[in-house]
Amino acid sequence: MAGESLRSSVSLPTDLTYLEPLEGFVRGLCRVAGCDQRDTSMVALAIEEAVSNVIQHGYDQGETDVFDVSFDVGAAGIVVEVHDKGLPFDPESFFPKEPPSEGAAPERGIGIKLMKGAMDRVEFLNLGKGGKLVRMTKYFRHRRIDSYFSDGDLVESPREESFFGPFEVRAMKPEEALEISRCAYRAYGYSYREFVYYPERIRELNESGMMKSFVAIDSRSSLVGHLALSFSDPDSVIAEMAAAFVNPSCRGQGILGMMNEMVMAEAERSGLQGLFVHAVTSHVASQRGAVKSGFMSTGILLGALFSDLNFKALAGEVRQRESAAVMYRPLCHRVDYDIWVPDRYVSIVSAIVASCGVNGKVRSSPVSLPERSSRIGEGNRSYKVGEFNFGEIRIVDFGEDSLAELQHRLREFRRDRLDVVYLYLDAEIPEAVPFAEECHRMGFVFSGYLPGELRGHDALILQYLEDTPLDLSRINLADKMGQEILEYIVAEMDEREESL
């Protein structure tokens, strides 16, 4: 299965008797992928619940139809999509707004809870006239790096294996994915992003175009570092420079700088509009490196990472949730265009736009929010990032119906006890202004601004924290713009606290 993706789909009538043969098909797919019994059972359970929901709740009583279930089995896991054109469905409606009283009927929404518990990621997508879609992802446990080696094998290199310059940076070869995972372990233990510990997942992301990996090797072709361009979707015009790590025994030899230069040159050659990084704020080393490479702060994601992220030689162990500085570097400049934000954010966004050289005019709009979004919410996305316990919502179609959808998603994320929710709004649409004002009333505060992040349009980023304890004085920022953004966020949070 390495390097291959097995795609298939089935069309099912709205009839529960088809669940049993579907389960047999699912278990067969998982068996072909070589996954273990536990993962197979979890995938089968989630699909059964998703399909049952469509059949039992997706259509009026007596109505019949055919809907589709598609499967994409890759080397690292499986993606399942259940697509129907039945009744509009909101998973929030299956949960009570108040805790059930003693002796009450069994809680609704148990199927959705089972789906989320069984899979690594579950997304509910509104496709407008195209219906609705549930996308579920499961990464197979047996594909992780520690299934290949013991911890001792991962950490220690043979004594005779030293690293010798000169070092070279080039595109990753598929067979090097395993050594990339080992390098990540040596640099971060098991505290880094989950995907880097799955060699097949690294290969899969590169083959799909969602990531372009570059590696540093020494004169004996030993892999000593990794850096990638990561894309939020296949049509992205900007990329994140991500998954940067160097073998600890090679630090201080300029390897990260070499990888930065190569990756940025590749980004320019490929015609990307810009690059961004998420730099930790428990120390300023990575931020200073980004500033030297032409990046400027455009936002701060409060509490973005778990507090157990271990930087070993860099900063020890971080004791509170780690916040991330969003830093952007433009590679090409668009012609003049309008950026729409509420009056309260005009000054800070104008400062950010000026600092990073964006040729946009920041404006506020007197328009009101329409009752219905232009495409009935099509293109809006929300999902939970389980490994860091935060939620992300992206809104590109604005209306009262999109606002209601956001309120439902926020309640769902709060019920799931997520630490923080990040909201990305398309700032090139005037209706983003009244929408963002409503978000402010809901408790969202400013986070930042990122050019080109939403279908090539600029994004206004807001964030919602409820009971997440954060000492903002412990956030360290290397550039003046970052400090101004933090001061603005602190002032807005203080203002909100006083108004409560």
Side-chain angles (χ1 to χ4, degrees), residues 400-434:
E400 295 286 353
D401 53 345
S402 297
L403 186 63
E405 178 186 358
L406 170 63
Q407 292 169 333
H408 291 331
R409 295 293 164 264
L410 183 59
R411 281 200 295 270
E412 177 186 348
F413 287 159
R414 290 174 63 189
R415 185 178 54 248
D416 290 343
R417 300 184 183 277
L418 299 193
D419 291 305
V420 60
V421 177
Y422 303 111
L423 175 63
Y424 291 73
L425 305 179
D426 189 333
E428 296 187 37
I429 299 177
E431 286 76 15
V433 174

PDB file of all heavy atoms in Angstrom, residues 400-434:
ATOM      1  N   GLU A 400     -27.382  35.598   7.913  1.00  0.00           N
ATOM      2  CA  GLU A 400     -27.909  35.220   9.222  1.00  0.00           C
ATOM      3  C   GLU A 400     -27.851  33.704   9.411  1.00  0.00           C
ATOM      4  O   GLU A 400     -27.637  33.216  10.518  1.00  0.00           O
ATOM      5  CB  GLU A 400     -29.355  35.712   9.362  1.00  0.00           C
ATOM      6  CG  GLU A 400     -29.524  37.222   9.372  1.00  0.00           C
ATOM      7  CD  GLU A 400     -29.067  37.860  10.677  1.00  0.00           C
ATOM      8  OE1 GLU A 400     -28.743  37.107  11.627  1.00  0.00           O
ATOM      9  OE2 GLU A 400     -29.034  39.099  10.746  1.00  0.00           O
ATOM     10  N   ASP A 401     -28.026  32.968   8.305  1.00  0.00           N
ATOM     11  CA  ASP A 401     -27.956  31.517   8.409  1.00  0.00           C
ATOM     12  C   ASP A 401     -26.528  31.060   8.738  1.00  0.00           C
ATOM     13  O   ASP A 401     -26.326  30.127   9.522  1.00  0.00           O
ATOM     14  CB  ASP A 401     -28.435  30.860   7.124  1.00  0.00           C
ATOM     15  CG  ASP A 401     -27.737  31.378   5.875  1.00  0.00           C
ATOM     16  OD1 ASP A 401     -27.088  32.428   5.934  1.00  0.00           O
ATOM     17  OD2 ASP A 401     -27.862  30.716   4.813  1.00  0.00           O
ATOM     18  N   SER A 402     -25.503  31.722   8.175  1.00  0.00           N
ATOM     19  CA  SER A 402     -24.113  31.385   8.508  1.00  0.00           C
ATOM     20  C   SER A 402     -23.797  31.730   9.958  1.00  0.00           C
ATOM     21  O   SER A 402     -23.035  31.013  10.625  1.00  0.00           O
ATOM     22  CB  SER A 402     -23.148  32.131   7.578  1.00  0.00           C
ATOM     23  OG  SER A 402     -23.322  31.755   6.235  1.00  0.00           O
ATOM     24  N   LEU A 403     -24.396  32.822  10.452  1.00  0.00           N
ATOM     25  CA  LEU A 403     -24.192  33.198  11.852  1.00  0.00           C
ATOM     26  C   LEU A 403     -24.803  32.154  12.779  1.00  0.00           C
ATOM     27  O   LEU A 403     -24.191  31.764  13.787  1.00  0.00           O
ATOM     28  CB  LEU A 403     -24.802  34.571  12.117  1.00  0.00           C
ATOM     29  CG  LEU A 403     -24.551  35.165  13.509  1.00  0.00           C
ATOM     30  CD1 LEU A 403     -23.063  35.412  13.737  1.00  0.00           C
ATOM     31  CD2 LEU A 403     -25.336  36.466  13.684  1.00  0.00           C
ATOM     32  N   ALA A 404     -26.004  31.678  12.430  1.00  0.00           N
ATOM     33  CA  ALA A 404     -26.635  30.625  13.236  1.00  0.00           C
ATOM     34  C   ALA A 404     -25.785  29.361  13.205  1.00  0.00           C
ATOM     35  O   ALA A 404     -25.623  28.679  14.223  1.00  0.00           O
ATOM     36  CB  ALA A 404     -28.043  30.344  12.715  1.00  0.00           C
ATOM     37  N   GLU A 405     -25.222  29.052  12.049  1.00  0.00           N
ATOM     38  CA  GLU A 405     -24.347  27.885  11.926  1.00  0.00           C
ATOM     39  C   GLU A 405     -23.120  28.039  12.831  1.00  0.00           C
ATOM     40  O   GLU A 405     -22.702  27.091  13.504  1.00  0.00           O
ATOM     41  CB  GLU A 405     -23.911  27.725  10.468  1.00  0.00           C
ATOM     42  CG  GLU A 405     -22.950  26.574  10.220  1.00  0.00           C
ATOM     43  CD  GLU A 405     -22.435  26.546   8.793  1.00  0.00           C
ATOM     44  OE1 GLU A 405     -22.850  27.405   7.978  1.00  0.00           O
ATOM     45  OE2 GLU A 405     -21.600  25.672   8.492  1.00  0.00           O
ATOM     46  N   LEU A 406     -22.545  29.234  12.842  1.00  0.00           N
ATOM     47  CA  LEU A 406     -21.391  29.493  13.705  1.00  0.00           C
ATOM     48  C   LEU A 406     -21.756  29.310  15.173  1.00  0.00           C
ATOM     49  O   LEU A 406     -20.990  28.708  15.951  1.00  0.00           O
ATOM     50  CB  LEU A 406     -20.867  30.915  13.460  1.00  0.00           C
ATOM     51  CG  LEU A 406     -19.810  31.420  14.451  1.00  0.00           C
ATOM     52  CD1 LEU A 406     -18.546  30.577  14.385  1.00  0.00           C
ATOM     53  CD2 LEU A 406     -19.489  32.890  14.185  1.00  0.00           C
ATOM     54  N   GLN A 407     -22.898  29.832  15.590  1.00  0.00           N
ATOM     55  CA  GLN A 407     -23.320  29.688  16.986  1.00  0.00           C
ATOM     56  C   GLN A 407     -23.476  28.223  17.360  1.00  0.00           C
ATOM     57  O   GLN A 407     -23.075  27.802  18.456  1.00  0.00           O
ATOM     58  CB  GLN A 407     -24.638  30.441  17.197  1.00  0.00           C
ATOM     59  CG  GLN A 407     -24.488  31.955  17.087  1.00  0.00           C
ATOM     60  CD  GLN A 407     -25.824  32.673  17.021  1.00  0.00           C
ATOM     61  OE1 GLN A 407     -26.832  32.110  16.570  1.00  0.00           O
ATOM     62  NE2 GLN A 407     -25.848  33.926  17.448  1.00  0.00           N
ATOM     63  N   HIS A 408     -24.025  27.421  16.451  1.00  0.00           N
ATOM     64  CA  HIS A 408     -24.162  25.985  16.702  1.00  0.00           C
ATOM     65  C   HIS A 408     -22.785  25.331  16.854  1.00  0.00           C
ATOM     66  O   HIS A 408     -22.561  24.525  17.757  1.00  0.00           O
ATOM     67  CB  HIS A 408     -24.925  25.318  15.560  1.00  0.00           C
ATOM     68  CG  HIS A 408     -26.368  25.687  15.493  1.00  0.00           C
ATOM     69  ND1 HIS A 408     -27.109  26.029  16.600  1.00  0.00           N
ATOM     70  CD2 HIS A 408     -27.228  25.763  14.426  1.00  0.00           C
ATOM     71  CE1 HIS A 408     -28.349  26.294  16.242  1.00  0.00           C
ATOM     72  NE2 HIS A 408     -28.453  26.137  14.932  1.00  0.00           N
ATOM     73  N   ARG A 409     -21.869  25.660  15.936  1.00  0.00           N
ATOM     74  CA  ARG A 409     -20.535  25.058  15.990  1.00  0.00           C
ATOM     75  C   ARG A 409     -19.815  25.447  17.287  1.00  0.00           C
ATOM     76  O   ARG A 409     -19.139  24.618  17.897  1.00  0.00           O
ATOM     77  CB  ARG A 409     -19.700  25.496  14.790  1.00  0.00           C
ATOM     78  CG  ARG A 409     -20.213  25.010  13.464  1.00  0.00           C
ATOM     79  CD  ARG A 409     -20.104  23.492  13.324  1.00  0.00           C
ATOM     80  NE  ARG A 409     -20.957  23.055  12.215  1.00  0.00           N
ATOM     81  CZ  ARG A 409     -22.188  22.609  12.367  1.00  0.00           C
ATOM     82  NH1 ARG A 409     -22.705  22.482  13.579  1.00  0.00           N
ATOM     83  NH2 ARG A 409     -22.907  22.253  11.328  1.00  0.00           N
ATOM     84  N   LEU A 410     -19.966  26.696  17.692  1.00  0.00           N
ATOM     85  CA  LEU A 410     -19.309  27.145  18.909  1.00  0.00           C
ATOM     86  C   LEU A 410     -19.854  26.405  20.120  1.00  0.00           C
ATOM     87  O   LEU A 410     -19.085  25.975  20.997  1.00  0.00           O
ATOM     88  CB  LEU A 410     -19.496  28.655  19.081  1.00  0.00           C
ATOM     89  CG  LEU A 410     -18.791  29.280  20.284  1.00  0.00           C
ATOM     90  CD1 LEU A 410     -17.285  29.058  20.221  1.00  0.00           C
ATOM     91  CD2 LEU A 410     -19.109  30.771  20.373  1.00  0.00           C
ATOM     92  N   ARG A 411     -21.171  26.203  20.184  1.00  0.00           N
ATOM     93  CA  ARG A 411     -21.751  25.438  21.291  1.00  0.00           C
ATOM     94  C   ARG A 411     -21.231  24.008  21.284  1.00  0.00           C
ATOM     95  O   ARG A 411     -20.924  23.428  22.332  1.00  0.00           O
ATOM     96  CB  ARG A 411     -23.280  25.456  21.218  1.00  0.00           C
ATOM     97  CG  ARG A 411     -23.922  26.728  21.721  1.00  0.00           C
ATOM     98  CD  ARG A 411     -25.385  26.511  22.065  1.00  0.00           C
ATOM     99  NE  ARG A 411     -26.166  26.190  20.881  1.00  0.00           N
ATOM    100  CZ  ARG A 411     -26.772  27.089  20.107  1.00  0.00           C
ATOM    101  NH1 ARG A 411     -26.680  28.376  20.400  1.00  0.00           N
ATOM    102  NH2 ARG A 411     -27.475  26.710  19.067  1.00  0.00           N
ATOM    103  N   GLU A 412     -21.128  23.443  20.094  1.00  0.00           N
ATOM    104  CA  GLU A 412     -20.626  22.076  19.972  1.00  0.00           C
ATOM    105  C   GLU A 412     -19.186  21.984  20.470  1.00  0.00           C
ATOM    106  O   GLU A 412     -18.828  21.068  21.228  1.00  0.00           O
ATOM    107  CB  GLU A 412     -20.700  21.631  18.514  1.00  0.00           C
ATOM    108  CG  GLU A 412     -20.137  20.252  18.254  1.00  0.00           C
ATOM    109  CD  GLU A 412     -20.099  19.922  16.780  1.00  0.00           C
ATOM    110  OE1 GLU A 412     -20.722  20.660  15.977  1.00  0.00           O
ATOM    111  OE2 GLU A 412     -19.439  18.931  16.419  1.00  0.00           O
ATOM    112  N   PHE A 413     -18.341  22.926  20.065  1.00  0.00           N
ATOM    113  CA  PHE A 413     -16.941  22.910  20.485  1.00  0.00           C
ATOM    114  C   PHE A 413     -16.814  23.143  21.988  1.00  0.00           C
ATOM    115  O   PHE A 413     -15.958  22.551  22.653  1.00  0.00           O
ATOM    116  CB  PHE A 413     -16.150  23.970  19.720  1.00  0.00           C
ATOM    117  CG  PHE A 413     -15.886  23.613  18.269  1.00  0.00           C
ATOM    118  CD1 PHE A 413     -15.594  24.591  17.345  1.00  0.00           C
ATOM    119  CD2 PHE A 413     -15.937  22.288  17.840  1.00  0.00           C
ATOM    120  CE1 PHE A 413     -15.334  24.270  16.025  1.00  0.00           C
ATOM    121  CE2 PHE A 413     -15.691  21.950  16.525  1.00  0.00           C
ATOM    122  CZ  PHE A 413     -15.379  22.951  15.612  1.00  0.00           C
ATOM    123  N   ARG A 414     -17.653  24.009  22.530  1.00  0.00           N
ATOM    124  CA  ARG A 414     -17.608  24.250  23.981  1.00  0.00           C
ATOM    125  C   ARG A 414     -18.034  22.998  24.734  1.00  0.00           C
ATOM    126  O   ARG A 414     -17.447  22.661  25.764  1.00  0.00           O
ATOM    127  CB  ARG A 414     -18.516  25.431  24.335  1.00  0.00           C
ATOM    128  CG  ARG A 414     -18.006  26.785  23.863  1.00  0.00           C
ATOM    129  CD  ARG A 414     -19.023  27.879  24.121  1.00  0.00           C
ATOM    130  NE  ARG A 414     -19.288  28.056  25.532  1.00  0.00           N
ATOM    131  CZ  ARG A 414     -20.265  28.828  26.011  1.00  0.00           C
ATOM    132  NH1 ARG A 414     -21.078  29.478  25.180  1.00  0.00           N
ATOM    133  NH2 ARG A 414     -20.435  28.947  27.304  1.00  0.00           N
ATOM    134  N   ARG A 415     -19.054  22.314  24.222  1.00  0.00           N
ATOM    135  CA  ARG A 415     -19.498  21.086  24.872  1.00  0.00           C
ATOM    136  C   ARG A 415     -18.411  20.014  24.818  1.00  0.00           C
ATOM    137  O   ARG A 415     -18.273  19.202  25.731  1.00  0.00           O
ATOM    138  CB  ARG A 415     -20.775  20.586  24.193  1.00  0.00           C
ATOM    139  CG  ARG A 415     -21.382  19.368  24.871  1.00  0.00           C
ATOM    140  CD  ARG A 415     -22.667  18.934  24.191  1.00  0.00           C
ATOM    141  NE  ARG A 415     -22.458  18.721  22.772  1.00  0.00           N
ATOM    142  CZ  ARG A 415     -22.988  19.503  21.819  1.00  0.00           C
ATOM    143  NH1 ARG A 415     -23.739  20.528  22.143  1.00  0.00           N
ATOM    144  NH2 ARG A 415     -22.760  19.240  20.544  1.00  0.00           N
ATOM    145  N   ASP A 416     -17.617  20.035  23.736  1.00  0.00           N
ATOM    146  CA  ASP A 416     -16.509  19.087  23.614  1.00  0.00           C
ATOM    147  C   ASP A 416     -15.288  19.509  24.428  1.00  0.00           C
ATOM    148  O   ASP A 416     -14.252  18.852  24.384  1.00  0.00           O
ATOM    149  CB  ASP A 416     -16.103  18.939  22.144  1.00  0.00           C
ATOM    150  CG  ASP A 416     -17.147  18.202  21.327  1.00  0.00           C
ATOM    151  OD1 ASP A 416     -18.013  17.542  21.933  1.00  0.00           O
ATOM    152  OD2 ASP A 416     -17.107  18.289  20.083  1.00  0.00           O
ATOM    153  N   ARG A 417     -15.395  20.624  25.151  1.00  0.00           N
ATOM    154  CA  ARG A 417     -14.354  21.141  26.038  1.00  0.00           C
ATOM    155  C   ARG A 417     -13.060  21.474  25.286  1.00  0.00           C
ATOM    156  O   ARG A 417     -11.955  21.215  25.774  1.00  0.00           O
ATOM    157  CB  ARG A 417     -14.075  20.153  27.169  1.00  0.00           C
ATOM    158  CG  ARG A 417     -15.289  19.869  28.047  1.00  0.00           C
ATOM    159  CD  ARG A 417     -14.951  18.973  29.214  1.00  0.00           C
ATOM    160  NE  ARG A 417     -16.129  18.645  29.995  1.00  0.00           N
ATOM    161  CZ  ARG A 417     -16.653  19.407  30.943  1.00  0.00           C
ATOM    162  NH1 ARG A 417     -16.093  20.568  31.223  1.00  0.00           N
ATOM    163  NH2 ARG A 417     -17.722  19.023  31.613  1.00  0.00           N
ATOM    164  N   LEU A 418     -13.212  22.067  24.104  1.00  0.00           N
ATOM    165  CA  LEU A 418     -12.037  22.539  23.396  1.00  0.00           C
ATOM    166  C   LEU A 418     -11.477  23.764  24.111  1.00  0.00           C
ATOM    167  O   LEU A 418     -12.220  24.566  24.676  1.00  0.00           O
ATOM    168  CB  LEU A 418     -12.377  22.899  21.951  1.00  0.00           C
ATOM    169  CG  LEU A 418     -12.922  21.769  21.065  1.00  0.00           C
ATOM    170  CD1 LEU A 418     -12.908  22.196  19.605  1.00  0.00           C
ATOM    171  CD2 LEU A 418     -12.127  20.489  21.235  1.00  0.00           C
ATOM    172  N   ASP A 419     -10.174  23.915  24.083  1.00  0.00           N
ATOM    173  CA  ASP A 419      -9.537  25.016  24.805  1.00  0.00           C
ATOM    174  C   ASP A 419      -9.685  26.350  24.090  1.00  0.00           C
ATOM    175  O   ASP A 419      -9.723  27.400  24.730  1.00  0.00           O
ATOM    176  CB  ASP A 419      -8.051  24.713  25.016  1.00  0.00           C
ATOM    177  CG  ASP A 419      -7.836  23.571  25.997  1.00  0.00           C
ATOM    178  OD1 ASP A 419      -8.343  23.662  27.127  1.00  0.00           O
ATOM    179  OD2 ASP A 419      -7.177  22.577  25.635  1.00  0.00           O
ATOM    180  N   VAL A 420      -9.737  26.335  22.770  1.00  0.00           N
ATOM    181  CA  VAL A 420      -9.819  27.582  22.016  1.00  0.00           C
ATOM    182  C   VAL A 420     -10.424  27.286  20.655  1.00  0.00           C
ATOM    183  O   VAL A 420     -10.314  26.178  20.134  1.00  0.00           O
ATOM    184  CB  VAL A 420      -8.409  28.230  21.876  1.00  0.00           C
ATOM    185  CG1 VAL A 420      -7.460  27.299  21.159  1.00  0.00           C
ATOM    186  CG2 VAL A 420      -8.465  29.576  21.176  1.00  0.00           C
ATOM    187  N   VAL A 421     -11.109  28.273  20.091  1.00  0.00           N
ATOM    188  CA  VAL A 421     -11.693  28.169  18.751  1.00  0.00           C
ATOM    189  C   VAL A 421     -11.181  29.345  17.926  1.00  0.00           C
ATOM    190  O   VAL A 421     -11.266  30.502  18.353  1.00  0.00           O
ATOM    191  CB  VAL A 421     -13.235  28.194  18.790  1.00  0.00           C
ATOM    192  CG1 VAL A 421     -13.810  28.152  17.372  1.00  0.00           C
ATOM    193  CG2 VAL A 421     -13.766  27.036  19.618  1.00  0.00           C
ATOM    194  N   TYR A 422     -10.634  29.047  16.746  1.00  0.00           N
ATOM    195  CA  TYR A 422     -10.141  30.083  15.839  1.00  0.00           C
ATOM    196  C   TYR A 422     -11.126  30.242  14.689  1.00  0.00           C
ATOM    197  O   TYR A 422     -11.597  29.254  14.114  1.00  0.00           O
ATOM    198  CB  TYR A 422      -8.755  29.721  15.297  1.00  0.00           C
ATOM    199  CG  TYR A 422      -7.742  29.500  16.397  1.00  0.00           C
ATOM    200  CD1 TYR A 422      -7.237  28.226  16.645  1.00  0.00           C
ATOM    201  CD2 TYR A 422      -7.311  30.547  17.198  1.00  0.00           C
ATOM    202  CE1 TYR A 422      -6.323  28.004  17.662  1.00  0.00           C
ATOM    203  CE2 TYR A 422      -6.398  30.335  18.223  1.00  0.00           C
ATOM    204  CZ  TYR A 422      -5.908  29.062  18.443  1.00  0.00           C
ATOM    205  OH  TYR A 422      -5.023  28.854  19.460  1.00  0.00           O
ATOM    206  N   LEU A 423     -11.419  31.485  14.358  1.00  0.00           N
ATOM    207  CA  LEU A 423     -12.403  31.812  13.334  1.00  0.00           C
ATOM    208  C   LEU A 423     -11.738  32.628  12.226  1.00  0.00           C
ATOM    209  O   LEU A 423     -11.166  33.687  12.480  1.00  0.00           O
ATOM    210  CB  LEU A 423     -13.557  32.599  13.960  1.00  0.00           C
ATOM    211  CG  LEU A 423     -14.636  33.131  13.028  1.00  0.00           C
ATOM    212  CD1 LEU A 423     -15.373  31.974  12.345  1.00  0.00           C
ATOM    213  CD2 LEU A 423     -15.630  33.995  13.805  1.00  0.00           C
ATOM    214  N   TYR A 424     -11.799  32.124  10.993  1.00  0.00           N
ATOM    215  CA  TYR A 424     -11.240  32.805   9.831  1.00  0.00           C
ATOM    216  C   TYR A 424     -12.391  33.349   8.987  1.00  0.00           C
ATOM    217  O   TYR A 424     -13.248  32.581   8.537  1.00  0.00           O
ATOM    218  CB  TYR A 424     -10.387  31.850   9.001  1.00  0.00           C
ATOM    219  CG  TYR A 424      -9.104  31.422   9.666  1.00  0.00           C
ATOM    220  CD1 TYR A 424      -9.113  30.532  10.737  1.00  0.00           C
ATOM    221  CD2 TYR A 424      -7.869  31.899   9.233  1.00  0.00           C
ATOM    222  CE1 TYR A 424      -7.935  30.132  11.362  1.00  0.00           C
ATOM    223  CE2 TYR A 424      -6.683  31.506   9.836  1.00  0.00           C
ATOM    224  CZ  TYR A 424      -6.726  30.617  10.897  1.00  0.00           C
ATOM    225  OH  TYR A 424      -5.560  30.221  11.519  1.00  0.00           O
ATOM    226  N   LEU A 425     -12.411  34.666   8.747  1.00  0.00           N
ATOM    227  CA  LEU A 425     -13.467  35.312   7.970  1.00  0.00           C
ATOM    228  C   LEU A 425     -12.878  35.908   6.700  1.00  0.00           C
ATOM    229  O   LEU A 425     -11.812  36.542   6.733  1.00  0.00           O
ATOM    230  CB  LEU A 425     -14.138  36.423   8.788  1.00  0.00           C
ATOM    231  CG  LEU A 425     -14.715  36.039  10.155  1.00  0.00           C
ATOM    232  CD1 LEU A 425     -15.316  37.269  10.823  1.00  0.00           C
ATOM    233  CD2 LEU A 425     -15.753  34.937  10.023  1.00  0.00           C
ATOM    234  N   ASP A 426     -13.556  35.719   5.574  1.00  0.00           N
ATOM    235  CA  ASP A 426     -13.113  36.290   4.302  1.00  0.00           C
ATOM    236  C   ASP A 426     -13.248  37.803   4.366  1.00  0.00           C
ATOM    237  O   ASP A 426     -14.346  38.355   4.283  1.00  0.00           O
ATOM    238  CB  ASP A 426     -13.952  35.721   3.153  1.00  0.00           C
ATOM    239  CG  ASP A 426     -13.407  36.105   1.779  1.00  0.00           C
ATOM    240  OD1 ASP A 426     -12.749  37.151   1.667  1.00  0.00           O
ATOM    241  OD2 ASP A 426     -13.646  35.348   0.819  1.00  0.00           O
ATOM    242  N   ALA A 427     -12.107  38.500   4.493  1.00  0.00           N
ATOM    243  CA  ALA A 427     -12.109  39.949   4.704  1.00  0.00           C
ATOM    244  C   ALA A 427     -12.208  40.731   3.404  1.00  0.00           C
ATOM    245  O   ALA A 427     -12.104  41.963   3.428  1.00  0.00           O
ATOM    246  CB  ALA A 427     -10.844  40.367   5.462  1.00  0.00           C
ATOM    247  N   GLU A 428     -12.405  40.069   2.291  1.00  0.00           N
ATOM    248  CA  GLU A 428     -12.581  40.778   1.025  1.00  0.00           C
ATOM    249  C   GLU A 428     -14.049  40.838   0.610  1.00  0.00           C
ATOM    250  O   GLU A 428     -14.369  41.224  -0.512  1.00  0.00           O
ATOM    251  CB  GLU A 428     -11.715  40.142  -0.058  1.00  0.00           C
ATOM    252  CG  GLU A 428     -10.226  40.270   0.243  1.00  0.00           C
ATOM    253  CD  GLU A 428      -9.338  39.809  -0.889  1.00  0.00           C
ATOM    254  OE1 GLU A 428      -9.707  40.036  -2.067  1.00  0.00           O
ATOM    255  OE2 GLU A 428      -8.280  39.219  -0.609  1.00  0.00           O
ATOM    256  N   ILE A 429     -14.929  40.458   1.528  1.00  0.00           N
ATOM    257  CA  ILE A 429     -16.376  40.533   1.311  1.00  0.00           C
ATOM    258  C   ILE A 429     -16.945  41.535   2.307  1.00  0.00           C
ATOM    259  O   ILE A 429     -16.750  41.382   3.521  1.00  0.00           O
ATOM    260  CB  ILE A 429     -17.033  39.155   1.491  1.00  0.00           C
ATOM    261  CG1 ILE A 429     -16.457  38.162   0.466  1.00  0.00           C
ATOM    262  CG2 ILE A 429     -18.551  39.252   1.345  1.00  0.00           C
ATOM    263  CD1 ILE A 429     -16.983  36.753   0.618  1.00  0.00           C
ATOM    264  N   PRO A 430     -17.637  42.591   1.859  1.00  0.00           N
ATOM    265  CA  PRO A 430     -18.130  43.629   2.787  1.00  0.00           C
ATOM    266  C   PRO A 430     -18.981  43.084   3.929  1.00  0.00           C
ATOM    267  O   PRO A 430     -18.954  43.610   5.044  1.00  0.00           O
ATOM    268  CB  PRO A 430     -18.938  44.554   1.865  1.00  0.00           C
ATOM    269  CG  PRO A 430     -18.327  44.367   0.505  1.00  0.00           C
ATOM    270  CD  PRO A 430     -17.917  42.926   0.457  1.00  0.00           C
ATOM    271  N   GLU A 431     -19.735  42.010   3.669  1.00  0.00           N
ATOM    272  CA  GLU A 431     -20.602  41.456   4.708  1.00  0.00           C
ATOM    273  C   GLU A 431     -19.816  40.846   5.865  1.00  0.00           C
ATOM    274  O   GLU A 431     -20.399  40.497   6.902  1.00  0.00           O
ATOM    275  CB  GLU A 431     -21.536  40.404   4.110  1.00  0.00           C
ATOM    276  CG  GLU A 431     -22.668  40.964   3.271  1.00  0.00           C
ATOM    277  CD  GLU A 431     -22.207  41.419   1.896  1.00  0.00           C
ATOM    278  OE1 GLU A 431     -21.077  41.050   1.472  1.00  0.00           O
ATOM    279  OE2 GLU A 431     -22.974  42.149   1.238  1.00  0.00           O
ATOM    280  N   ALA A 432     -18.496  40.739   5.708  1.00  0.00           N
ATOM    281  CA  ALA A 432     -17.677  40.271   6.828  1.00  0.00           C
ATOM    282  C   ALA A 432     -17.726  41.251   7.991  1.00  0.00           C
ATOM    283  O   ALA A 432     -17.517  40.857   9.145  1.00  0.00           O
ATOM    284  CB  ALA A 432     -16.231  40.080   6.370  1.00  0.00           C
ATOM    285  N   VAL A 433     -17.994  42.525   7.699  1.00  0.00           N
ATOM    286  CA  VAL A 433     -18.004  43.545   8.760  1.00  0.00           C
ATOM    287  C   VAL A 433     -19.133  43.316   9.764  1.00  0.00           C
ATOM    288  O   VAL A 433     -18.874  43.164  10.968  1.00  0.00           O
ATOM    289  CB  VAL A 433     -18.069  44.960   8.150  1.00  0.00           C
ATOM    290  CG1 VAL A 433     -18.235  46.012   9.243  1.00  0.00           C
ATOM    291  CG2 VAL A 433     -16.808  45.246   7.333  1.00  0.00           C
ATOM    292  N   PRO A 434     -20.411  43.288   9.340  1.00  0.00           N
ATOM    293  CA  PRO A 434     -21.466  43.017  10.336  1.00  0.00           C
ATOM    294  C   PRO A 434     -21.340  41.629  10.953  1.00  0.00           C
ATOM    295  O   PRO A 434     -21.700  41.434  12.116  1.00  0.00           O
ATOM    296  CB  PRO A 434     -22.763  43.172   9.532  1.00  0.00           C
ATOM    297  CG  PRO A 434     -22.374  42.958   8.102  1.00  0.00           C
ATOM    298  CD  PRO A 434     -20.994  43.527   7.991  1.00  0.00           C
TER     299      PRO A 434
END
